[in-house]
Amino acid sequence: MIKIKELQLKEDIIEAFPIMNELRSHLDLNSYIELVQEAMEKDMYHLVALYEHGEIAAVIGYKPMITLYYGRFIWVCDLVTKEDKRSNGFGEKLLSFVENWAKKNKYQAVALSSGLQRTEAHRFYEERMTYDRVSFVFKKLI
């Protein structure tokens, strides 16, 4: 049985950490909790989990944004499926959930970035989810 649920309580956010940590391995539990809570409070970040048989199998984090380039859109910050649960359509279900949320809330697009090394993810976004590759993302640590 599949269930999708937005995580808002601290204990639910903590429960999602082991899965999120597969993608965001640089974070320890305390940093993760602090960042998620601050992003929810200040940046309208949403954290959503897909449960399979009562256990979290995948998570997605997203936030609404407005820029002159994209207009009103949703930025997917995080999307990860537990390693032993991949290729079951869970990422597709969560991304579709966000797309439906965007439509319902009158946003025109969903956008995300994906690490250069994640070629399988790129194939998923382009071929399975029909996303267009529109730009490169650049970063400079300061």
Side-chain angles (χ1 to χ4, degrees):
M1 181 169 149
I2 303 293
K3 176 183 167 188
I4 295 176
K5 172 184 156 186
E6 183 161 359
L7 308 179
Q8 295 176 321
L9 300 175
K10 185 175 181 179
E11 54 265 26
D12 292 335
I13 293 166
I14 291 169
E15 183 185 6
F17 176 70
I19 292 89
M20 184 65 81
N21 197 235
E22 290 185 25
L23 178 65
R24 306 293 179 220
S25 57
H26 64 284
L27 295 175
D28 62 32
L29 179 60
N30 290 331
S31 298
Y32 160 78
I33 294 167
E34 187 178 298
L35 287 169
V36 168
Q37 290 179 325
E38 184 177 1
M40 286 177 169
E41 179 186 320
K42 295 180 179 176
D43 218 13
M44 297 179 14
Y45 179 80
H46 297 258
L47 182 61
V48 175
L50 182 145
Y51 291 80
E52 181 189 42
H53 306 297
E55 292 188 11
I56 297 177
V59 293
I60 193 166
Y62 65 95
K63 62 183 180 177
M65 292 182 70
I66 302 169
T67 66
L68 298 179
Y69 180 63
Y70 286 132
R72 293 173 40 84
F73 71 103
I74 303 302
W75 181 259
V76 175
C77 307
D78 315 287
L79 174 57
V80 60
T81 299
K82 194 174 173 185
E83 188 171 11
D84 65 349
K85 300 288 185 176
R86 293 184 185 152
S87 298
N88 286 308
F90 298 153
E92 182 176 357
K93 284 181 177 21
L94 284 175
L95 208 47
S96 294
F97 172 89
V98 170
E99 290 170 2
N100 289 330
W101 189 95
K103 284 178 197 170
K104 181 178 150 191
N105 290 281
K106 302 191 180 351
Y107 288 89
Q108 292 94 14
V110 175
L112 55 87
S113 68
S114 181
L116 295 172
Q117 75 282 9
R118 299 186 182 280
T119 54
E120 288 183 38
H122 304 164
R123 191 169 30 259
F124 166 73
Y125 295 128
E126 291 176 318
E127 295 174 11
R128 181 103 175 195
M129 300 305 298
T130 66
Y131 279 61
D132 295 320
R133 191 180 303 215
V134 295
S135 67
F136 288 103
V137 175
F138 295 91
K139 174 183 168 183
K140 179 179 182 180
L141 295 177
I142 50 174

